[in-house]
Amino acid sequence: MILLELQLNNFRQFYGQTPPVKFATGQGNVTVLYGSNGAGKTAVLNSFTWAMYDSVSKGFLFEDQIINKRAIRESAPGATIDAWVQIKFEHLGRQYLLKKLVQAVKGDDGDLVSKGPPLTTLMWAAEDGKWKVETNTADVIGRVLPRDLHTYFFFDGERIERIVQPSGEEQNDIANATKKLLGLEVIERAVRHLGAARKTLEKELEQVGDAATKEILQRKAGIEEQLARVEARSDQATKNLVGQRERQKELKQRLSKLDEVKVDQQRREQLETDLERATDTMTAAKSQLSALLNADAYKAFLSGPSQNFLDLIESLRAKGELPAGIKRQFVDDLLGKYTCICERSLDMNESRSAREAVERWKDKAGLAQVEEKAIRMGGEVRQLRTQQENFWDQSDAQQRRIAADREEISRIQTELEDIGQRLRLSPQEGVKDLEAQFEATVEAIEQANQEIGSAKNDRRRHEEDLRLILLELRKSEQSEGKQQLAQRRLQATLDAISRLQESRGLFESTFRRTLTEKVRSLFAKISYTPYVPEVTETYALRLLESAGGTALPVAASQGENQILSLAFIGAVIDVARDFTRNKEKLPGPEASTYPIVMDSPFGSLGSAYRTQVADKITALADQVILMVTPTQWNGEVANALASRAGKAYVIEYCTTKSDIPSELIDIRGHSYPLVVKSANEFEYSIIREISNG
């Protein structure tokens, strides 16, 4: 998809029709719209998403107030006022024209009465030059750039870091985007259809099956009902968790605004961050200790046998039997004692294979191999003793780390409890009330987490029961032809569902791994830090620091989170491009080119990162459209992007105030005003194309 042109009419700040904003493509594929704060940059960003997806960003306030206020005031009562957004774009060699129109009638009291829902039309240019109307607009837009993906291509740079730690709902959006990218919806749809067919076939088998089959199917239906109830419990608990976390966030903000407890609240938030990090550190240490025990704990029990072996070797050396050669008598003595040098029993009744293995050494000429083996084992046993010491050193180190983390967690929890106590006993009723509400959310979050954990355990148990009963159903023998046929058909359906689900899991696993590699590559190109990004199973992004050998989460700054989010967006676009190139994959978006439209793209980045992002941004997408303030543009960003800007516009804000602050943008030696005195009593914005040469 390549954006060609945007035109607005009475849309938010923009009075009347704006000139067509033509976007740069090809070599100089960057388009820049300069504007001061409040001029309408966010409105331009949202004009795309409003028209294409009926969606706006969180920073787009009063989203129901689309029509320009000057247009409303200048209209006579009874007049119809139009506001629209028109976008021209190219996709797979065909040009499209999308227009979304909203109309309202001005009442006698000045209020607007809607003339109905917005009307969206999509036309495409035929080869003969005539424009034809597309009847299925949403379907075409969905194939060009799926709705679930649009927030990665049209976004507010200052809010972009929410991608790093998405809410539950936003995680679902990312997961849905994954399905769109890989065409997994096709598999899911197939599983749903097969699931419906399975129920029909089960009823058929129940009708023709014998009593035992009917009993199995009834038990199966009972387990499925239990599973459905567990899913409902889990979904409700997850919603409660999200709701309580939002409520807790709101209460924290309210507490932090109260002067009398501001310091305590800020300290509490810092402690909560420290607690999360200490908990992660302790979890990582426990995991490493567990891995160490699984791999090397057996070495702790080899001190006795290894010492016995070494004593034996030394004894042989003292007798002159090593390294001169081990006598046949040595083997006979082992067999006579019924104990090997490794202390394994050589009793025929207890370990026949071991005794026979030792007896075979007697047949070997000169027992040279026994000697060689004994000498080599001596070296290995000595090495093993060194490894035992390393094992204990590592184990002790991990234990000390865990103890230190536990102590730190206890200290933080005590301080948190002290803060809570002070707020509970505050003489300010407002503080006490907010604290009581805050503690209620803590308890509710804990309950929700417990419920989610309980549901997860129940789900695992019921799924195992279901697996066993499906196995039982597969093994049940049907005597009549009709029964056998029904069973085979049902089994074929169950097998197909199982294979499709396996395929889905494989595709998703591959996607997450590919996405992680691409995010890491892009982040490393932009960031100066040694941190390594990770995409979790729930599609949350986080940075890890591996100094000291253990990868631990990093409390990333807002700037680092913004870079991480940009890297994620660039990686998503790369995956989508790969999808188009690799035709063997499942059906997905029909595109190989993608735009990025960004408002305030350099948010809170420092100078060095602004340079890095500006330098790499054109590598993230095939077309870049930026809305920036002079502060966001001037300096390193202008130096990096000016030569790549094919088109440039200013959004001129017309204010009714007389004491207008001077705000100019200098482009290639020319100064352009961004704020001017309005020629009338209205405030509005104008878009002007400026020379970029």
Side-chain angles (χ1 to χ4, degrees), residues 109-394:
D109 55 359
D111 290 342
L112 286 183
V113 178
S114 171
K115 291 190 71 172
L119 177 65
T120 303
T121 55
L122 179 66
M123 296 192 297
W124 53 276
E127 291 181 356
D128 59 5
K130 294 180 180 178
W131 287 88
K132 299 191 175 182
V133 176
E134 175 60 54
T135 55
N136 198 341
T137 301
D139 185 55
V140 171
I141 296 295
R143 290 203 304 271
V144 173
L145 193 59
R147 178 186 174 83
D148 292 326
L149 293 174
H150 82 271
T151 53
Y152 303 119
F153 300 91
F154 303 90
F155 56 89
D156 181 345
E158 291 185 341
R159 297 169 186 268
I160 190 177
E161 66 271 14
R162 67 176 177 76
I163 292 176
V164 175
Q165 294 294 342
S167 66
E169 185 179 349
E170 289 167 342
Q171 284 178 355
N172 288 335
D173 289 344
I174 296 174
N176 288 333
T178 306
K179 296 171 190 173
K180 288 290 192 324
L181 274 173
L182 296 178
L184 290 179
E185 280 191 329
V186 175
I187 296 180
E188 292 196 338
R189 202 179 304 132
V191 170
R192 284 199 301 273
H193 292 168
L194 284 170
R198 173 184 61 80
K199 291 181 179 176
T200 302
L201 292 170
E202 284 176 353
K203 287 181 181 176
E204 181 183 319
L205 180 60
E206 191 171 2
Q207 289 172 354
V208 300
D210 56 19
T213 301
K214 290 178 180 177
E215 190 272 335
I216 294 172
L217 287 170
Q218 286 169 0
R219 277 192 286 135
K220 177 175 174 294
I223 294 172
E224 288 174 338
E225 286 178 9
Q226 290 175 319
L227 261 174
R229 286 196 289 272
V230 168
E231 291 297 337
R233 273 174 52 207
S234 180
D235 289 347
Q236 185 57 53
T238 302
K239 288 178 183 174
N240 292 344
L241 183 63
V242 172
Q244 291 297 333
R245 281 179 173 163
E246 288 295 322
R247 175 65 175 152
Q248 191 177 70
K249 184 178 177 182
E250 177 198 337
L251 290 168
K252 285 179 179 178
Q253 290 173 345
R254 291 173 63 185
L255 282 166
S256 64
K257 291 178 181 175
L258 298 176
D259 290 338
E260 56 269 31
V261 295
K262 182 185 294 183
V263 173
D264 267 342
Q265 180 55 34
Q266 289 174 347
R267 177 59 181 161
R268 174 151 69 181
E269 290 178 14
Q270 180 58 52
L271 287 171
E272 287 173 344
T273 302
D274 293 345
L275 179 62
E276 185 177 353
R277 180 173 174 75
T279 304
D280 285 344
T281 304
M282 187 171 71
T283 302
K286 285 183 175 179
S287 176
Q288 289 175 351
L289 179 60
S290 177
L292 177 67
L293 293 174
N294 286 335
D296 295 336
Y298 72 95
K299 294 173 182 173
F301 302 97
L302 295 180
S303 298
S306 61
Q307 187 58 52
N308 291 342
F309 178 78
L310 292 175
D311 291 345
L312 176 62
I313 295 297
E314 287 304 316
S315 170
L316 291 173
R317 287 183 192 281
K319 296 176 184 176
E321 295 177 342
L322 272 179
I326 295 177
K327 308 299 184 190
R328 183 180 295 272
Q329 184 60 45
F330 170 70
V331 179
D332 289 336
D333 289 345
L334 292 179
L335 294 172
K337 294 176 182 175
Y338 298 98
T339 304
C340 186
I341 55 177
C342 63
E343 296 195 343
R344 189 174 180 183
S345 172
L346 296 179
D347 189 302
M348 183 64 81
N349 295 325
E350 295 180 8
S351 183
R352 182 186 185 91
S353 61
R355 185 174 183 85
E356 289 176 348
V358 174
E359 284 178 340
R360 283 195 291 273
W361 284 106
K362 291 173 64 176
D363 301 330
K364 300 187 177 181
L367 292 178
Q369 295 180 59
V370 176
E371 176 185 336
E372 180 186 345
K373 186 71 175 176
I375 294 172
R376 188 169 65 81
M377 284 182 63
E380 291 175 351
V381 167
R382 289 186 184 87
Q383 190 177 16
L384 195 60
R385 288 167 66 86
T386 303
Q387 292 174 357
Q388 287 172 0
E389 294 172 0
N390 291 337
F391 165 75
W392 285 117
D393 289 344
Q394 291 178 42

Side-chain angles (χ1 to χ4, degrees), residues 586-618:
L586 297 167
E590 299 172 349
S592 58
T593 54
Y594 293 91
I596 278 185
V597 181
M598 305 169 68
D599 181 19
S600 303
F602 306 99
S604 59
L605 297 178
S607 172
Y609 279 151
R610 284 159 59 85
T611 303
Q612 286 291 92
V613 170
D615 190 48
K616 302 291 189 307
I617 198 168
T618 51

Side-chain angles (χ1 to χ4, degrees), residues 579-592:
F579 179 92
T580 306
R581 282 194 290 266
N582 300 324
K583 299 297 184 184
E584 74 275 10
K585 292 183 178 177
L586 297 167
E590 299 172 349
S592 58

Side-chain angles (χ1 to χ4, degrees), residues 379-418:
E380 291 175 351
V381 167
R382 289 186 184 87
Q383 190 177 16
L384 195 60
R385 288 167 66 86
T386 303
Q387 292 174 357
Q388 287 172 0
E389 294 172 0
N390 291 337
F391 165 75
W392 285 117
D393 289 344
Q394 291 178 42
S395 175
D396 290 345
Q398 293 295 353
Q399 296 279 9
R400 285 194 296 274
R401 276 186 55 191
I402 292 170
D405 290 335
R406 189 172 287 123
E407 187 175 341
E408 175 67 2
I409 288 171
S410 176
R411 183 193 66 75
I412 293 171
Q413 288 173 333
T414 300
E415 192 175 348
L416 281 171
E417 177 56 33
D418 291 343

